[in-house]
Amino acid sequence: MASLKNRTQNCSVSPVFLPCFFYTILFITLYSLSLPTKALGQSPPFACDTGNASLSSFGFCDTSKTLEARVADLVGRLTLPEKIGYLISGAASVSRLGIPKYEWWSEALHGVSYTGPGTRFSSVVPGATSFPQVITTAASFNTSLFEAIGKVVSSEARAMYNVGLAGLTYWSPNVNIFRDPRWGRGQETPGEDPLLASKYGSNYVRGLQQSDDPDPNKLKVAACCKHYTAYDVDNWKGVDRYTFNAVVSQQDLDDTFQPPFKSCVVDGNVASVMCSYNKVNGKPTCADPDLLSGVIRGDWKLNGYIVTDCDSIDVLFKSQHYTKTPEEAVAQSILAGVNLDCGYFLSQHTQGAVDKGLIKESDIDKAISYNFATLMRLGFFDGNPSKKPYGNLGPKDVCTPANQELALDAARQGIVLLQNTAKTLPFSATNIKTVAVIGPNANVTKTMIGNYEGTPCKYITPLQGLAAYTSTTFQAGCSNVACATAQVDEAKQIAATADATILIVGADQSIEAESRDRVDIILPGQQPLLISEVAKVSKGPVILVIMSGGGMDVTFAKNDDKIKSILWVGYPGEAGGAAIADIIFGAYNPCGRLPLTWYPQSYTDKVPMTNMNMRPDPATGYPGRSYRFYTGETVYNFGDGLSYSDFTHHLAKAPTEVSIPLQEEHECRSSTCKSVDAVGEHCQNLGFDVHLTVRNNGTMGGRHTVFLFSSPPSVHNSPRKHLLGFKKVFLHGKTERLVVFKVDACKHLSVVDEAGNRKVALGVHQLHIGDLKYSFNVRI
């Protein structure tokens, strides 16, 4: 085909024996049967074509059989080399069984992505809805939004699959904890809090996977929670993810790093978990049987497959030198619980591992059975997808007006108003007739969609969004976000004459990204100079908009009297510019809250990124990490965020005491205990309700996040405060509503002890709801 294609491209200059149009028509006809012609709208390859009589006798094609029976039948028909071919992400075809090749690697972090070989865009589907980067969506604290985005993404993914442009397995979401503000991939995560990350992960997974099929085991697409576990160093001062050994206490592992993955599996029923590059306490995660077979498969009962991060087995052999031979690396990974290798290492060295007696063929059978079961749950072995659920989806279902509106609404909900002196915002278009729009991110497109992105439906830049409300003048002020030299004079000139100045600054993927951690947390280059100099001469109020994944030390701006309002917009997606303008001009009431702590630069000056400890160490002066443990100075706090309305809370109902019904022979009946196990009969039905009246005292309706925090007694080096729950509510102006939190004492009030066991602390617990504080006693 390649040679024929070259003939048609050069037929005007190459000697040919047939007319040029014949080659062209012949090429189009033959090319329409090959892979590239899926762009012409043909259906994708699939197994078990019911139109092929030779396949009808195969048990794995018989949908009346159980999933287990179908998988066993298929595995039993494969030769060892064929089985090995299904251990890797680029799975080969088995034509004698009518099984086409399949590419496992597709991504859908915040929309269908072109990252990974399993998905691409074409003239048939030129783009897909690009939602805000995860850190921005997480700032909405809206679980129904998390799921709604997942549903849209999976529908667009199925639509693209139906025309041969995408796969069915998506290695998203990223539920790692945003532990250190310098991490380049923190933007991909839901933030620093384990509960928020857990809620995001399980709800996004549910949106991606939940099928309309009456069989609850069927999948719309298969999600994957990554990167398991304690993965949050990419490349910092010469330390990279391929060799980093994360030294993590059992307490921090079970208290902070594991909960999002557990929630993905237990609550979200995720179809896959991806092990990470790094080592945890000396063992590569992809070769650790305790973490994989023991926890994911054993304790949590994963219903799906375990996949490596790309080339992780190659890395543990070549970079980490964990095994002496590649065959040993194969054996250790497969026996630990790996089922699928993103890469080719297993295809190259598994036969050798079998020949050397390091693994048995039955070990391979077990591994690929999980992979086949996932594809069968997706309908890959059920025949023509056009005749199955979601077979009617196609290009018309991608980038629909409703999908694009959801992307806009997600951006609005995720934008955080951090400062609003004298209620400067919202602007009125009747009073603010001219706006000077300044900054390296003021007219960007691709910056708004972050990484692991796809081609969006369209962009609305901040400048375009603001121009829809009022007259604008524009100066970038910097040639890029690195801002080696700020063009201050031109920016000052337009700020001095406009009714208001909006500075849109921050970062992009050249500053923070995969394989690129920051070394500081200040605005890059001369951006601070640009901001301060422009603020000095501005005729009207100055609004600072920060576009970034991680936090920034903008203390200088907080303390500048000319800067009235500060907004953080994360990476707000394809419609980010419209969302920013809607909030600035009051078409939308801001409701986002920070999903991470913003530290001062002094924090990163003294805390190595490689120190994984969450808890402070007074002996060394180590300050700890996240709002749960860190008590030092901050620029902004986790949960910070303002509204144009004033919301107040009134506690209507809460217990004064919670009594744990231990049996008479329990040791804590006869001796003093600081805590009791958070499992057992005594935990059954041990719950209570917290009733709150939330009132919008303003005239403008809006969404409001209600946080329920708890400060437990000081036992087991417990968090100083942690999030028990959150709810997103909408209230019209001058109205109120009841909000109810259902608290499970053993689940929500427990802390993790030094050995990694959950315990309910005895003594006084304090609830925090906004400015309210309420104490109650937990006793036996």
Side-chain angles (χ1 to χ4, degrees):
M1 285 301 297
S3 60
L4 180 58
K5 181 177 180 180
N6 293 337
R7 294 286 300 268
T8 65
Q9 290 173 336
N10 297 299
C11 61
S12 60
V13 294
S14 302
V16 291
F17 298 104
L18 292 172
C20 196
F21 77 88
F22 176 82
Y23 278 108
T24 303
I25 292 172
L26 180 61
F27 166 70
I28 291 174
T29 302
L30 294 177
Y31 205 52
S32 68
L33 301 176
S34 67
L35 180 62
T37 60
K38 293 173 187 176
L40 299 178
Q42 295 196 358
S43 56
F46 56 90
C48 299
D49 184 357
T50 55
N52 187 337
S54 64
L55 304 180
S56 60
S57 62
F58 294 152
F60 66 84
C61 291
D62 186 349
T63 57
S64 69
K65 293 182 179 293
T66 66
L67 178 65
E68 294 76 14
R70 296 177 70 191
V71 170
D73 180 84
L74 174 53
V75 172
R77 294 176 186 273
L78 298 173
T79 65
L80 178 57
E82 288 169 342
K83 292 173 182 178
I84 291 171
Y86 283 103
L87 289 169
I88 62 170
S89 52
S93 63
V94 181
S95 56
R96 66 184 181 83
L97 298 178
I99 304 172
K101 62 183 179 180
Y102 180 74
E103 175 55 61
W104 286 80
W105 181 9
S106 292
E107 302 276 356
L109 184 67
H110 52 103
V112 179
S113 170
Y114 44 55
T115 302
T119 305
R120 63 193 176 88
F121 294 94
S122 75
S123 59
V124 175
V125 181
T129 309
S130 189
F131 290 92
Q133 183 59 289
V134 175
I135 194 69
T136 314
T137 298
S140 73
F141 283 88
N142 187 342
T143 56
S144 62
L145 177 65
F146 305 159
E147 184 171 342
I149 292 174
K151 286 182 177 178
V152 167
V153 173
S154 60
S155 291
E156 295 196 346
R158 271 282 179 174
M160 292 179 65
Y161 168 74
N162 288 342
V163 291
L165 294 174
L168 294 170
T169 47
Y170 290 84
W171 294 346
S172 306
N174 180 342
V175 294
N176 291 122
I177 295 295
F178 199 166
R179 175 187 59 90
D180 189 286
R182 293 162 286 196
W183 188 30
R185 300 189 73 176
Q187 60 181 293
E188 302 173 28
T189 78
E192 72 181 31
D193 181 72
L195 178 69
L196 174 59
S198 297
K199 294 287 188 183
Y200 179 87
S202 59
N203 280 278
Y204 188 64
V205 164
R206 197 173 292 117
L208 286 175
Q209 293 191 165
Q210 205 161 50
S211 170
D212 296 332
D213 195 287
D215 180 355
N217 203 34
K218 288 289 189 179
L219 297 167
K220 188 177 180 185
V221 301
C224 173
C225 288
K226 63 185 185 183
H227 313 79
Y228 181 85
T229 182
Y231 167 78
D232 50 22
V233 172
D234 263 63
N235 191 348
W236 179 78
K237 293 186 176 182
V239 179
D240 68 38
R241 58 185 176 170
Y242 305 115
T243 56
F244 179 58
N245 178 31
V247 179
V248 187
S249 70
Q250 192 64 48
Q251 185 174 32
D252 281 343
L253 190 67
D254 290 327
D255 179 48
T256 296
F257 299 107
Q258 295 289 69
F261 291 99
K262 181 178 181 179
S263 184
C264 275
V265 176
V266 175
D267 303 322
N269 193 26
V270 74
S272 179
V273 173
M274 175 184 286
C275 53
S276 53
Y277 291 115
N278 58 291
K279 292 181 284 188
V280 173
N281 299 327
K283 287 185 179 181
T285 65
C286 293
D288 190 331
D290 294 328
L291 285 176
L292 302 186
S293 294
V295 176
I296 299 177
R297 185 75 66 191
D299 295 344
W300 299 343
K301 311 300 181 188
L302 173 70
N303 180 21
Y305 68 101
I306 296 174
V307 61
T308 71
D309 204 341
C310 295
D311 298 317
S312 285
I313 305 176
D314 185 77
V315 165
L316 72 87
F317 169 62
K318 292 181 180 177
S319 300
Q320 297 173 356
H321 309 294
Y322 190 68
T323 64
K324 293 181 179 179
T325 68
E327 291 80 14
E328 289 172 343
V330 167
Q332 291 212 24
S333 299
I334 291 177
L335 294 176
V338 165
N339 310 130
L340 188 73
D341 173 23
C342 174
Y344 300 96
F345 196 87
L346 290 187
S347 65
Q348 296 166 343
H349 302 292
T350 300
Q351 182 69 58
V354 174
D355 294 342
K356 292 182 178 181
L358 298 174
I359 56 171
K360 301 186 292 292
E361 185 170 354
S362 59
D363 297 319
I364 299 170
D365 293 348
K366 181 179 178 181
I368 62 174
S369 291
Y370 292 116
N371 304 339
F372 285 133
T374 302
L375 288 177
M376 286 181 182
R377 293 169 65 199
L378 288 161
F380 188 78
F381 288 89
D382 291 354
N384 192 334
S386 68
K387 300 175 182 178
K388 303 296 179 181
Y390 309 110
N392 61 327
L393 295 176
K396 70 182 189 315
D397 301 295
V398 183
C399 287
T400 66
N403 293 357
Q404 293 186 63
E405 182 63 29
L406 183 63
L408 171 60
D409 190 48
R412 289 166 173 159
Q413 290 194 46
I415 290 174
V416 183
L417 178 62
L418 293 169
Q419 177 175 307
N420 196 24
T421 305
K423 297 185 177 180
T424 300
L425 293 180
F427 283 160
S428 165
T430 56
N431 297 330
I432 305 295
K433 297 185 181 300
T434 58
V435 171
V437 184
I438 298 168
N441 281 338
N443 198 31
V444 291
T445 52
K446 199 168 185 293
T447 297
M448 295 194 299
I449 60 177
N451 68 352
Y452 280 82
E453 76 287 5
T455 304
C457 309
K458 62 182 180 183
Y459 288 110
I460 302 174
T461 73
L463 181 61
Q464 290 171 334
L466 293 165
Y469 281 95
T470 192
S471 177
T472 59
T473 53
F474 167 65
Q475 284 289 337
C478 303
S479 59
N480 52 44
V481 291
C483 199
T485 304
Q487 290 84 51
V488 173
D489 292 341
E490 295 91 337
K492 289 168 66 174
Q493 186 174 353
I494 64 170
T497 59
D499 293 336
T501 296
I502 300 175
L503 285 149
I504 306 176
V505 299
D508 64 13
Q509 302 305 303
S510 70
I511 303 296
E512 52 180 0
E514 185 170 11
S515 298
R516 182 176 292 119
D517 299 325
R518 292 187 287 167
V519 294
D520 59 51
I521 51 174
I522 56 178
L523 288 168
Q526 291 193 347
Q527 286 191 40
L529 173 69
L530 175 68
I531 293 164
S532 297
E533 290 300 307
V534 166
K536 286 179 185 177
V537 302
S538 293
K539 170 187 168 185
V542 178
I543 311 302
L544 179 63
V545 177
I546 302 164
M547 191 178 294
S548 69
M552 298 284 185
D553 184 349
V554 290
T555 304
F556 78 95
K558 284 182 67 177
N559 296 335
D560 191 327
D561 292 338
K562 291 295 293 289
I563 298 174
K564 301 300 182 184
S565 303
I566 300 176
L567 296 101
W568 175 72
V569 301
Y571 293 120
E574 65 175 37
I580 292 168
D582 286 347
I583 284 179
I584 288 176
F585 279 91
Y588 192 88
N589 198 345
C591 62
R593 300 292 194 95
L594 281 185
L596 67 162
T597 302
W598 281 28
Y599 301 91
Q601 172 59 27
S602 58
Y603 179 86
T604 58
D605 289 339
K606 62 186 177 184
V607 176
M609 190 174 175
T610 49
N611 188 326
M612 299 293 292
N613 293 328
M614 297 302 298
R615 289 160 167 79
D617 184 355
T620 63
Y622 179 72
R625 296 181 181 277
S626 86
Y627 80 94
R628 299 168 69 228
F629 302 104
Y630 174 71
T631 58
E633 177 188 355
T634 62
V635 179
Y636 290 108
N637 296 312
F638 175 90
D640 276 357
L642 303 172
S643 167
Y644 296 149
S645 297
D646 173 39
F647 293 93
T648 54
H649 311 88
H650 171 72
L651 187 62
K653 178 185 176 183
T656 57
E657 186 176 85
V658 174
S659 179
I660 300 176
L662 298 180
Q663 294 186 3
E664 288 299 323
E665 62 271 19
H666 194 283
E667 61 179 346
C668 291
R669 291 286 189 186
S670 57
S671 60
T672 302
C673 292
K674 293 181 178 180
S675 64
V676 298
D677 289 339
V679 293
E681 290 184 12
H682 58 269
C683 285
Q684 299 301 313
N685 303 315
L686 191 62
F688 58 89
D689 291 349
V690 175
H691 291 205
L692 298 164
T693 301
V694 183
R695 179 170 178 79
N696 181 352
N697 298 299
T699 58
M700 186 177 186
R703 289 185 171 96
H704 175 63
T705 301
V706 185
F707 291 118
L708 180 64
F709 290 99
S710 170
S711 291
S714 296
V715 298
H716 304 304
N717 209 359
S718 59
R720 66 185 190 92
K721 185 172 78 168
H722 63 134
L723 190 60
L724 301 189
F726 57 88
K727 291 182 181 290
K728 198 79 170 185
V729 297
F730 181 88
L731 284 89
H732 294 287
K734 304 295 183 182
T735 65
E736 64 182 35
R737 63 178 291 181
L738 183 70
V739 174
V740 178
F741 286 95
K742 292 189 175 295
V743 179
D744 180 318
C746 288
K747 179 180 179 181
H748 297 118
L749 299 183
S750 60
V751 298
V752 175
D753 72 6
E754 294 79 359
N757 302 308
R758 284 215 160 260
K759 302 280 189 175
V760 180
L762 300 175
V764 176
H765 293 243
Q766 188 175 66
L767 300 179
H768 307 252
I769 309 104
D771 294 330
L772 285 175
K773 292 183 180 180
Y774 177 80
S775 297
F776 64 97
N777 190 45
V778 176
R779 66 174 186 85
I780 57 175

